């Protein structure tokens, strides 16, 4: 249910102040410690950030897609690790439950997800299944009133913090591709479920990814999400929304970097004048601003279409493809404008340069987005 304009604007302004006053001063600390302080997490919970997209009847803010995009834009103006702390609760970790869960499942889990008491995670990727998401090999064999899960997932965001996993597993090995895959709500404390240590990553310190192993994990039948064999459909519909959220975060990061570039270029002097006066520097700023505006317009337009009930599979893929590639170019130009200062840690530009690289990979690589865009365009006849 859409917020009225005044309430929406108040929410966006509250998030903007939180980002500026609370999160940005902690960026270097979070990167150095590879951890977000517990008190910051509690403040995020109090602001309702863990339940942005959860229906109001379960304690969430029940934001529409456009509203979520506007909030994500603000969250993009600080280190992406902060958003990742609650991002799975807002997006891929909970939206399968919101979209496909039955009344009992929603009542059991969504209030805790909305409050941040339950942290969620989305377990799809495997050593041999990532871009080819229908190639899932984790098995779920039914034994009476349980499914027995065996297999391993890789690079699972927030796995070390998660209380509840949405797991894609193959229930019918005789069916190739997505038709034999089902989705399950798997609680962290079930015997046989183990989580590996966080991986050392190129960027986004403070956000963790881990392997998740299932060794004869018995999951009650009532924890299957949707019908048997519907897991691939669950994953794809969840990713449509997640891709728009990521697109908005990319735009927010780009806007942050552009503002930092303008401020630095206006103060840094070479040849007796601010470098902002040189046309080649202005060209980089102009290119970054133009691409950011284009990504923002595409993302907002697609969000409005989704809120109107239109299918946006192609548009969401195009938004994510363009926005994630765009922010990579903006970050590269930012390093160039800052020069030597952009390459050292003190200014934080090199950190953002590393942080944004993952946007072109997760929730579908740029190449997968190209495949989707082309496929959907061909279906539509242009």
């Amino acid at each position: 249910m859409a917020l009225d304009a005044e309430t929406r604007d108040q929410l966006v302004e509250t998030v903007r102040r939180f980002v500026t006053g609370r999160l940005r001063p902690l960026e270097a600390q979070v990167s150095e410690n590879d951890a977000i302080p517990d008190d910051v997490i509690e403040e995020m919970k109090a602001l309702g950030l863990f339940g942005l997209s959860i229906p109001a009847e379960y304690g969430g803010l029940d934001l529409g897609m456009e509203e979520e995009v506007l909030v994500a834009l603000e969250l993009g103006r600080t280190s992406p690790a902060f958003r990742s702390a609650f991002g799975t609760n807002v997006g891929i970790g909970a939206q399968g439950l919101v979209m496909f869960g039955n009344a009992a499942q929603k009542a059991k889990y969504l209030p805790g997800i909305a409050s941040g008491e339950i942290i969620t995670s989305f377990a799809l990727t495997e050593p041999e299944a990532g871009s080819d998401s229908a190639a899932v090999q984790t098995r779920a064999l039914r034994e009476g009133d349980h499914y027995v899960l065996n297999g391993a997932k890789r690079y699972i965001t927030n796995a070390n913090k998660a209380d509840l996993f949405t797991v894609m597993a193959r229930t019918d090995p005789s069916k190739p591709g997505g038709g034999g895959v089902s989705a399950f709500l798997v609680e962290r404390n079930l015997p046989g479920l183990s989580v590996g240590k966080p991986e050392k990553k190129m960027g986004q310190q403070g956000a963790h990814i881990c392997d998740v192993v299932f060794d004869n994990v018995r999951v009650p039948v009532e924890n299957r999400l949707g019908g048997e064999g519907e897991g691939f459909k669950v994953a794809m519909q969840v990713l449509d929304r997640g891709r728009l959220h990521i697109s908005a975060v990319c735009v927010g990061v780009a806007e942050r970097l552009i503002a930092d570039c303008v401020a630095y270029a206006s103060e840094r002097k070479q040849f007796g004048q601010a470098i902002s006066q040189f046309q080649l520097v202005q060209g980089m700023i102009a290119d970054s601003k133009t691409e950011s505006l284009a990504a923002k317009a595409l993302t907002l337009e697609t969000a409005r279409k989704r809120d109107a009930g239109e299918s946006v599979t192609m548009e969401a893929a195009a938004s994510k493809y363009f926005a994630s590639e765009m922010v990579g170019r903006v970050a590269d130009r930012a390093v160039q404008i800052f020069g030597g200062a952009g390459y050292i840690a003190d200014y934080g530009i090199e950190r953002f340069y590393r942080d944004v690289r993952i946007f072109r990979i997760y929730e579908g690589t740029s190449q997968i987005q190209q495949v989707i865009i082309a496929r959907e365009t061909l279906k539509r006849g242009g």
Side-chain angles (χ1 to χ4, degrees), residues 240 243-244 247 302 312-321 369:
D240 273 357
R243 285 166 179 161
L244 283 172
S247 300
T302 304
V312 295
T313 296
M314 187 270 284
E315 290 86 351
S319 297
K320 200 269 182 179
Y321 174 45
Q369 308 309 326

Side-chain angles (χ1 to χ4, degrees), residues 101-322:
N102 59 41
Q105 291 169 338
K106 291 179 179 180
K108 181 176 182 180
Y109 295 116
L110 285 181
I113 293 171
S115 69
E117 179 184 351
I118 295 174
I119 303 300
T120 63
S121 195
F122 184 71
L124 170 62
T125 301
E126 298 179 359
E128 300 300 325
S131 293
D132 185 7
S133 54
V136 166
Q137 294 303 309
T138 295
R139 297 284 296 275
L141 299 182
R142 184 159 182 174
E143 293 184 0
D145 58 357
H146 285 78
Y147 285 90
V148 180
L149 269 63
N150 282 283
K153 299 294 183 177
R154 176 161 289 177
Y155 308 139
I156 305 305
T157 301
N158 280 351
N160 58 328
K161 301 284 199 308
D163 305 291
L164 182 69
F165 296 87
T166 299
V167 180
M168 300 297 150
R170 189 165 295 281
T171 46
D172 188 347
S174 69
K175 289 185 179 179
V181 176
S182 302
F184 298 90
L185 299 168
V186 181
E187 296 179 9
R188 168 68 170 269
N189 59 4
L190 291 179
L193 191 158
S194 59
V195 177
K197 65 181 181 179
E199 302 280 359
K200 292 183 178 180
K201 310 190 309 303
M202 177 181 183
Q204 294 206 21
Q205 279 67 42
H208 301 139
I209 59 173
C210 311
D211 286 355
V212 183
V213 177
F214 304 91
D215 182 9
N216 290 320
V217 178
R218 297 180 64 82
V219 179
V221 169
E222 59 263 29
N223 275 38
R224 189 184 66 222
L225 195 55
E228 191 166 290
E230 292 186 348
F232 190 69
K233 181 176 74 173
V234 171
M236 293 306 99
Q237 292 198 28
V238 165
L239 286 170
D240 273 357
R241 181 168 191 142
R243 285 166 179 161
L244 283 172
H245 181 101
I246 294 299
S247 300
V249 174
C250 289
V251 174
V253 174
E255 291 182 345
R256 157 72 183 274
L257 288 170
I258 292 166
D260 287 352
C261 286
V262 168
Y264 182 80
S266 298
E267 295 177 359
R268 171 68 168 163
K269 288 184 170 55
Q270 289 290 285
F271 303 102
Q273 60 182 317
I275 63 172
S276 61
Q277 299 304 305
F278 296 116
Q279 289 182 333
L280 292 177
V281 172
Q282 291 175 358
M284 288 188 283
I285 292 171
D287 286 349
S288 295
K289 186 65 175 179
T290 301
E291 292 188 70
S292 176
L293 287 170
K296 185 175 185 177
L298 176 58
T299 302
L300 284 168
E301 179 187 21
T302 304
R304 292 177 189 125
K305 285 183 176 181
R306 191 181 187 282
D307 284 340
E310 298 181 36
S311 173
V312 295
T313 296
M314 187 270 284
E315 290 86 351
S319 297
K320 200 269 182 179
Y321 174 45
F322 186 77

Side-chain angles (χ1 to χ4, degrees), residues 78-89:
T78 187
S79 294
F82 289 114
R83 182 214 61 89
S84 186
F86 59 84
T88 50
N89 273 38

